[in-house]
Amino acid sequence: MRATVLALALLALWSVPAAAEDTTDEQYLTVAMPAAKAVAAEFAIPASVTAAQSIVESGWGRSPLATKARNYFGYKCKAGNPGPIAIGCIEHPTTECTPDCHPAVGEFRVYASMTDSFRDYGRHLTTSPYYAAALPLAADPDAFITEVAKRYATDPLYAEKVIRVMRTHNLYRLDVPQ
């Protein structure tokens, strides 16, 4: 409860979102691509996957969780603990599929910036044993997200959704060294 109150107070102070509800898809990509490439450089995770997951999880940066909490990957707090990068927690409606999909309320991480949300994503994927099997697949973004999806989301079609975004928007171009 105390962390939730702190997060709400911080949100009031830092309420300028990185992406607004009227942001176009291309505007979101312009902002998200450098963050995805930074995650690739620091954590060796395909930038295409990072960008696509942020799109799927945040609705192109337009979701209330993204605009108010700067949470672009749907990361939850655990027992009120936001982890080492987030600045607090906030309750937010969600859908869980266990296995049937149903509405729920979760406690989600709040970040000071989009960069912090993306860095936490990279940190989480490279430090959690859940995703260890995906890391050697980083050179193949489709295989990487297929492995990550096994533990990342409860949606059984999650990997397909992320791959569809990568293909439709040619996000694989982000993985090419420049």
Side-chain angles (χ1 to χ4, degrees), residues 4-157:
T4 301
V5 172
L6 174 62
L8 290 172
L10 289 170
L11 281 174
L13 291 172
W14 296 342
S15 62
V16 180
E21 290 178 18
D22 60 351
T23 301
T24 68
D25 295 353
E26 284 306 313
Q27 287 170 323
Y28 179 77
L29 276 178
T30 299
V31 175
M33 285 190 308
K37 287 181 178 184
V39 167
E42 184 174 354
F43 298 102
I45 293 171
S48 57
V49 173
T50 303
Q53 278 195 267
S54 78
I55 289 165
V56 169
E57 292 291 334
S58 74
W60 292 92
R62 295 181 193 108
S63 74
L65 194 57
T67 60
K68 297 194 183 340
R70 294 180 185 87
N71 186 329
Y72 294 88
F73 295 94
Y75 279 154
K76 294 179 180 171
C77 291
K78 292 187 181 186
N81 181 354
I85 297 176
I87 58 172
C89 304
I90 187 171
E91 287 188 352
H92 187 74
T94 188
T95 300
E96 296 293 340
C97 301
T98 56
D100 295 327
C101 297
H102 59 279
V105 174
E107 194 175 27
F108 290 84
R109 296 178 187 185
V110 176
Y111 296 94
S113 67
M114 175 186 250
T115 300
D116 286 351
S117 179
F118 275 62
R119 283 195 68 243
D120 202 19
Y121 165 84
R123 182 203 59 80
H124 182 68
L125 288 190
T126 56
T127 61
S128 172
Y130 292 148
Y131 309 111
L135 299 177
L137 305 173
D140 181 349
D142 290 2
F144 183 88
I145 188 56
T146 299
E147 187 62 37
V148 165
K150 292 175 183 177
R151 296 299 297 255
Y152 194 91
T154 58
D155 180 348
L157 301 176

